[in-house]
Amino acid sequence: MNDHAHDRDRLRALEDAGFPLDSLSAEQREVLRDLSAEELALLLGLKERLDAAEPEVQAHSEIAGGALF
């Protein structure tokens, strides 16, 4: 697989994980294209953990927001 294919695979992995690549500038997408395998794994892992925590955080903010305001 050539470097260009690796670049597409990196961006596809990020997009599949829910990163809003369409809203990024060309320069920002270039940064993501240049991620090392370790950086990509870290970023995907962080996104997964944030997504897993999201429902709990949203529920707390809705309850607390409703109780406080």
Side-chain angles (χ1 to χ4, degrees):
M1 188 178 288
N2 63 30
D3 287 341
H4 189 63
H6 282 293
D7 294 348
R8 281 196 316 265
D9 289 346
R10 285 185 196 98
L11 292 179
R12 176 169 285 149
L14 291 168
E15 194 167 45
D16 289 349
F19 284 87
L21 299 183
D22 290 341
S23 66
L24 300 178
S25 70
E27 293 83 5
Q28 291 170 321
R29 284 191 301 276
E30 183 68 29
V31 169
L32 295 175
R33 241 184 250 108
D34 290 340
L35 291 175
S36 68
E38 294 82 11
E39 290 169 326
L40 178 62
L42 177 63
L43 191 55
L44 292 173
L46 289 170
K47 175 78 165 77
E48 185 177 312
R49 290 170 51 195
L50 289 170
D51 288 349
E54 184 176 353
E56 182 179 339
V57 171
Q58 284 181 342
H60 286 157
S61 68
E62 289 172 13
I63 293 168
L68 297 173
F69 298 106

